[in-house]
Amino acid sequence: MISRVRVWLNRTYAENVFFMDQLRRNPSDRAVEIHATHGDADSPVLAAADTADLEPECLSPAAYVEYALDQCARRGIDVFVPRLHQAAIVAHRADFEAAGTALLAPTPEAVAVFEDKATAYEAVRSVGVPVPPWWRVRTAEELVTAVEQLEADGHRACFKPAAGAGGVGFRVITRAPFSLLHLNGFPGPHVQLDLVVEALEKADHPVDWLVMPRLEQPEVSVDCLTGPDNRIRLAVGRTKNGRRRGFTLDERWLAPARLIAGGFGLHHLSNIQFRMYGDRPVLLDVNTRPAGGLHQLALCGVNAPWAAVQLALGEDPGEIEPPFLGQDYTVVSGPRPLRPVTLPHQRSTETEPLLPAMPAPATGPAAEHTTEAGTPAPAPATASAIAPA
């Protein structure tokens, strides 16, 4: 009898509830149990897991590694998918292997290269992957110089932290004075140059930003699955142009993504993003972790999370070609249950059917939810689902 696989996701994104759904619905029909930890008791990944714990706050990276090793030993973790403190964790891969846990994560060298966007741009440019022009700035004077050079070349300037993920801290520079026009509608990414300069001059410490031209759509995120032998098992591009999303196997995007994933040791799951600079694709960002939208590849008949777990366990899934490319789609929000605040949670029986990897649209009011017994159900949280465009 084939034993069940125990997978742990630490402090991950809400969208990874779909990652978890796909692991349970794997084509091998293998039993999967999922452990999740988070710093937020209301994270939907805790409700979606079979067992869950709140993570201790304010641990140093070294202390977090000790916490993680203890979790793996106590919970019998077979595969650990680390997001928080990934660099410190992969540096101790041998310790996790000794505890019987495989890390679904890249090499320490790859994590070090792509933690810093400036280092990443220099590295990929050295192997022939196009990157946009960029300036690393730490002061108001450096910011103004970079912005003026970009504007002189006809570009709109933007900036983002040299280290970070998920678009946090991204802003587009504008010279338009602040007015009531900026208070209409929803808040946007635009920020006045004079306000940024004033904030930098008043700051008591330097920033660490990259300033670059505002790149154009489409944005293409290539999801890659790479083996420890640096051979690519899967590469599929997800396109985004405004609200419309789709898929591509165009080598303009896939070839440089393969070069980066295989050449820099981005083992297991990575996500490599491109945008347009003029008439050519250039690198935007490299994520050394599974993308939040990875589950969308289900529209192409691919279960990437399960293939990655197989690879981590040494069960090579071979090269994976999507049997088809799904139709264009858009992303909408849908409800997911939350757990009571009390943790840890140990699921003893299935109390409800698993949600599909692509939840069907709700057909009734979502304002109130009750169980069949008429008692209030756990409050829903929002997670992104996908619908045809």
Side-chain angles (χ1 to χ4, degrees):
M1 181 177 179
I2 300 177
S3 62
R4 63 94 175 97
V5 179
R6 189 122 171 94
V7 180
W8 173 26
L9 286 81
N10 76 332
R11 207 172 294 209
T12 192
Y13 304 105
E15 289 84 357
N16 275 335
V17 294
F18 303 120
F19 186 104
M20 297 157 76
D21 287 345
Q22 287 186 299
L23 287 182
R24 293 192 177 104
R25 250 181 229 77
N26 65 80
S28 304
D29 200 26
R30 186 94 170 261
V32 175
E33 293 181 6
I34 299 173
H35 181 56
T37 58
H38 208 284
D40 178 5
D42 288 337
S43 169
V45 299
L46 298 182
D50 297 290
T51 59
D53 278 320
L54 276 175
E55 293 188 356
E57 295 295 335
C58 303
L59 292 182
S60 67
Y64 192 92
V65 169
E66 294 301 316
Y67 161 78
L69 285 166
D70 178 68
Q71 286 280 309
C72 290
R74 289 194 302 109
R75 297 289 185 174
I77 301 300
D78 299 301
V79 178
F80 178 20
V81 188
R83 189 198 67 82
L84 183 67
H85 292 311
Q86 186 188 65
I89 289 165
V90 297
H92 289 81
R93 189 183 299 269
D95 295 328
F96 285 95
E97 289 177 349
T101 300
L103 296 182
L104 200 158
T107 64
E109 294 79 10
V111 174
V113 167
F114 295 108
E115 271 188 320
D116 180 276
K117 292 179 173 59
T119 303
Y121 280 177
E122 291 284 9
V124 302
R125 183 166 59 184
S126 72
V127 297
V129 175
V131 300
W134 54 272
W135 289 258
R136 190 166 200 160
V137 307
R138 292 181 170 85
T139 66
E141 182 180 359
E142 292 174 345
L143 172 70
V144 171
T145 299
V147 170
E148 288 177 345
Q149 290 186 47
L150 283 167
E151 291 178 340
D153 292 333
H155 300 296
R156 298 168 67 194
C158 63
F159 65 86
K160 58 185 177 182
V168 174
F170 171 79
R171 298 293 187 273
V172 179
I173 292 288
T174 177
R175 298 232 183 209
F178 185 78
S179 70
L180 287 177
L181 290 175
H182 296 98
L183 300 178
N184 289 333
F186 293 101
H190 292 82
V191 62
Q192 285 67 34
L193 177 59
D194 58 338
L195 296 181
V196 180
V197 169
E198 180 182 359
L200 287 174
E201 290 175 341
K202 291 180 178 178
D204 57 4
H205 58 83
V207 296
D208 189 8
W209 292 343
L210 292 192
V211 178
M212 55 195 295
R214 179 75 161 97
L215 302 175
E216 301 302 323
Q217 293 184 325
E219 180 177 313
V220 178
S221 294
V222 182
D223 294 308
C224 292
L225 176 62
T226 309
D229 56 1
N230 295 326
R231 184 164 58 87
I232 308 299
R233 305 309 199 268
L234 170 71
V236 181
R238 290 182 286 112
T239 65
K240 181 167 67 173
N241 200 335
R243 184 176 295 233
R244 179 170 292 271
R245 304 191 181 202
F247 303 98
T248 182
L249 296 177
D250 190 325
E251 286 298 317
R252 288 192 308 161
W253 316 99
L254 268 58
R258 290 194 194 98
L259 180 60
I260 293 170
F264 289 96
L266 284 170
H267 299 164
H268 304 292
L269 287 169
S270 60
N271 176 258
I272 302 168
Q273 301 170 358
F274 301 89
R275 272 193 173 228
M276 299 299 294
Y277 177 60
D279 59 356
R280 66 171 182 165
V282 294
L283 181 71
L284 177 63
D285 205 356
V286 175
N287 295 308
T288 61
R289 51 167 176 77
L294 179 69
H295 65 280
Q296 294 162 13
L297 295 187
L299 288 173
C300 299
V302 173
N303 188 326
W306 177 245
V309 166
Q310 286 183 294
L311 193 58
L313 292 171
E315 303 167 7
D316 197 333
E319 293 189 17
I320 302 169
E321 291 287 340
F324 53 86
L325 293 184
Q327 71 180 88
D328 285 0
Y329 63 100
T330 191
V331 176
V332 296
S333 294
R336 295 286 300 206
L338 290 182
R339 285 196 36 74
V341 173
T342 304
L343 287 173
H345 162 52
Q346 181 79 38
R347 179 183 291 169
S348 55
T349 59
E350 282 295 346
T351 57
E352 58 183 359
L354 296 177
L355 294 177
M358 295 172 289
T363 56
E368 295 183 2
H369 299 269
T370 57
T371 64
E372 290 181 358
T375 56
T382 11
S384 296
I386 49 183

